[in-house]
Amino acid sequence: ELAKYVGPDIDDPTMGMGVAEKEMGYLFGQYKRINAKFTSGNVPFMNKKSSEVPGKAVVLFAKEMLKDINQSLMGKRCLIVGSGKTARAIAAKLLEYGAIPLTFSDESGHVYEPSGIDASKLRTISNIKTDRGATLGRYVISSTTAKFNEPSNIFDVPCDLCFSCGPIKSINADAVTQLADNGCMGVIEAGHKNVTLDARHALKSRGVMYAPHIVTLTGVNIVHAHKHDLTDATLESEVHRIYNDVKSAATEFNARGDLFAGGSMVGFLRVADAMLAHGAI
């Protein structure tokens, strides 16, 4: 049934919670069995490169947010909740901008590197999570500096930014309080509905910047629009455009600085414009 709604010229499924490369490979195999066309320009529509774009886009949105307050990602200590493909792509992109990833987490707990996770440590974690299919607990065997489940709550780790790639509702109001008390200046959603409604209110009341998933996860749409022609420069340009559209919409509708409201308004207006173009009233 799903094969009717995905394809190189229709829509691109991507990895997420419980759906990694193994599951995507199964889906692609079944799609090839059902459909004669499974490429666009000889490039499979489910390709490895596109799976990293959502994570890169999340970091670019964080970069745009910081630019608004005359700051950059350089030297920022970043808490990462999750350890899937998106979380690891976020860490890799953060390293490019000079930021310092501190943590990863999964069902076994979380690992914390007080001095940061560099490219070598990130490769080790990626090997554990993909090649071996093990949990993060295995990482402490290969690192003399890593802490496992210490502190017991990941949100007690002091940080500048929090990138949440965990399950739905993984950040509540109590988590926001812990983050804000430890100096966190921004929470960036990298998973669907990670932040609860109460947590959004808490973020606003504590003056913590918030980038919602309805804005940050548009990397998937950018991949679908540009396909194999997508470059890092194009991705950055598209993220810049989307961020400014959302920010302008929030300001126009008296919700200045509220990216959740701005993103919702931009989405509504685009659907409304499309309906009008088709003659709907």
Side-chain angles (χ1 to χ4, degrees):
E1 186 67 22
L2 178 64
K4 300 176 185 177
Y5 306 102
V6 298
D9 301 314
I10 306 173
D11 199 1
D12 296 290
T14 58
M15 288 182 275
M17 290 295 295
V19 181
E21 291 179 348
K22 181 179 178 181
E23 289 76 19
M24 291 296 289
Y26 172 77
L27 287 170
F28 184 54
Q30 289 298 309
Y31 185 87
K32 284 172 65 178
R33 185 176 65 82
I34 298 169
N35 294 274
K37 183 180 180 182
F38 53 87
T39 65
S40 179
N42 293 322
V43 178
F45 77 99
M46 292 188 197
N47 62 76
K48 188 173 181 179
K49 181 180 178 182
S50 65
S51 67
E52 298 171 352
V53 173
K56 292 180 179 180
V58 169
V59 176
L60 291 172
F61 274 109
K63 177 172 169 280
E64 292 291 332
M65 285 178 61
L66 290 171
K67 192 191 300 182
D68 271 353
I69 57 172
N70 297 317
Q71 293 199 34
S72 71
L73 284 166
M74 178 64 71
K76 293 292 186 294
R77 294 173 62 81
C78 301
L79 195 77
I80 299 177
V81 181
S83 58
K85 190 75 174 179
T86 299
R88 299 196 302 274
I90 286 172
K93 195 67 176 175
L94 286 172
L95 288 171
E96 288 183 24
Y97 283 111
I100 307 169
L102 298 174
T103 63
F104 282 110
S105 67
D106 64 9
E107 63 273 16
S108 69
H110 64 271
V111 292
Y112 168 40
E113 285 280 9
S115 59
I117 297 169
D118 58 21
S120 176
K121 292 173 181 176
L122 179 57
R123 281 194 298 271
T124 301
I125 291 172
S126 292
N127 288 337
I128 290 171
K129 295 298 294 183
T130 55
D131 296 344
R132 302 175 190 174
T135 57
L136 282 171
R138 290 284 298 274
Y139 173 70
V140 295
I141 300 172
S142 60
S143 173
T144 58
T145 57
K147 297 181 180 181
F148 185 64
N149 288 340
E150 184 184 342
S152 59
N153 191 324
I154 191 172
F155 299 117
D156 283 330
V157 175
C159 65
D160 298 307
L161 297 170
C162 174
F163 292 83
S164 178
C165 315
I168 292 174
K169 298 182 179 180
S170 54
I171 294 185
N172 55 26
D174 290 338
V176 170
T177 299
Q178 289 172 282
L179 287 167
D181 288 345
N182 284 312
C184 182
M185 61 191 299
V187 173
I188 298 92
E189 263 186 315
H192 291 282
K193 300 180 181 179
N194 287 166
V195 178
T196 66
L197 179 60
D198 288 342
R200 291 209 306 268
H201 293 323
L203 286 166
K204 192 170 184 179
S205 66
R206 292 297 299 264
V208 178
M209 295 184 296
Y210 170 50
H213 69 277
I214 58 174
V215 176
T216 60
L217 295 184
T218 50
V220 176
N221 305 90
I222 296 171
V223 170
H224 181 61
H226 293 273
K227 301 193 181 297
H228 54 276
D229 294 325
L230 182 64
T231 64
D232 286 346
T234 303
L235 177 63
E236 187 166 357
S237 174
E238 285 292 283
V239 167
H240 178 73
R241 177 187 62 79
I242 293 168
Y243 179 80
N244 283 328
D245 286 349
V246 169
K247 188 173 68 170
S248 297
T251 302
E252 181 182 351
F253 289 93
N254 201 30
R256 184 183 179 86
D258 189 337
L259 298 183
F260 187 87
S264 300
M265 292 164 189
V266 167
F268 173 82
L269 290 172
R270 287 185 178 176
V271 171
D273 288 343
M275 292 176 69
L276 288 170
H278 284 82
I281 300 176

